[in-house]
Amino acid sequence: MGEIVSEYIIRSITGLKASERKNVFSWISSIPEQEAIDIFQSSVKASFSLQKARPDMPGKVVKYCSFITAARKKGWNTFRGKGFRVASQPQFTDFTHMRKAKVADLLQSGRRPVLRKKVLAYWGEITELRRENHSFRAISSYLAKTRKVKISVTYLARLWGEVEGRH
């Protein structure tokens, strides 16, 4: 019965299941030693305030809960089960430049010309289906099922505007 009470108390304080708490320890082992020491030091400070708030709890449970909560405050991400580190301003600036470069690269490259060539190879069928008042969604499904060409509805509509808009 003591185990169940301890698990309930630990989970209510830390907010983590037992498996998630184990992942916290593996994350701590992956960070630099100085950061692990900082987590340990902040957990010692937190344990004093937790002991005052919950004098009925055993000391070892207080220290354990304090250590887990200190790790969460330092950067343990409970949603993905991984740790994160807060970026300082120079790192954030570097990330911003990287994101801008990645977006520029994506915008510059556009769609792969291979897909365009595949779709244009079946352009006669596409125009015939459009003349029969089939939607771009239906045509996209038709191409995916019969011709094994996966194309989004919006790209097909845009391609239609580019090719048929010239006439």
Side-chain angles (χ1 to χ4, degrees):
M1 185 162 181
E3 289 294 319
I4 296 171
V5 173
S6 296
E7 172 62 26
Y8 174 76
I9 291 171
I10 292 170
R11 189 169 183 180
S12 65
I13 292 173
T14 62
L16 297 176
K17 296 184 277 187
S19 61
E20 293 170 332
R21 291 192 302 265
K22 286 181 183 178
N23 290 337
V24 171
F25 284 106
S26 71
W27 174 71
I28 289 173
S29 68
S30 72
I31 62 175
E33 189 174 26
Q34 186 57 47
E35 290 182 31
I37 292 170
D38 293 341
I39 291 171
F40 182 74
Q41 182 61 36
S42 60
S43 75
V44 170
K45 292 176 184 176
S47 68
F48 290 118
S49 60
L50 183 59
Q51 185 67 51
K52 287 179 185 175
R54 300 287 306 265
D56 57 321
M57 282 178 43
K60 62 182 179 180
V61 175
V62 168
K63 291 174 185 156
Y64 178 72
C65 291
S66 299
F67 189 70
I68 297 294
T69 54
R72 289 188 73 186
K73 286 180 182 175
K74 185 69 175 177
W76 172 252
N77 182 353
T78 57
F79 295 111
R80 295 190 184 262
K82 296 180 180 175
F84 65 91
R85 293 182 181 90
V86 178
S88 61
Q89 187 58 42
Q91 291 169 327
F92 183 76
T93 306
D94 289 344
F95 294 150
T96 305
H97 293 309
M98 286 172 45
R99 280 192 296 271
K100 286 180 182 177
K102 197 171 262 193
V103 167
D105 185 42
L106 286 172
L107 292 175
Q108 194 173 32
S109 65
R111 296 277 182 171
R112 294 178 301 175
V114 175
L115 180 61
R116 183 181 179 101
K117 288 177 186 176
K118 285 181 181 179
V119 172
L120 290 177
Y122 301 110
W123 198 252
E125 293 178 54
I126 294 170
T127 55
E128 185 178 316
L129 291 170
R130 280 301 289 172
R131 285 187 189 126
E132 294 173 4
N133 292 327
H134 290 284
S135 67
F136 288 118
R137 184 171 306 281
I139 295 171
S140 175
S141 296
Y142 167 79
L143 289 173
K145 289 177 185 173
T146 60
R147 304 297 179 202
K148 306 293 187 234
V149 176
K150 292 183 182 179
I151 183 169
S152 70
V153 177
T154 54
Y155 183 58
L156 183 60
R158 192 173 88 199
L159 196 58
W160 178 267
E162 289 175 13
V163 174
E164 296 297 321
R166 295 180 189 160
H167 294 237

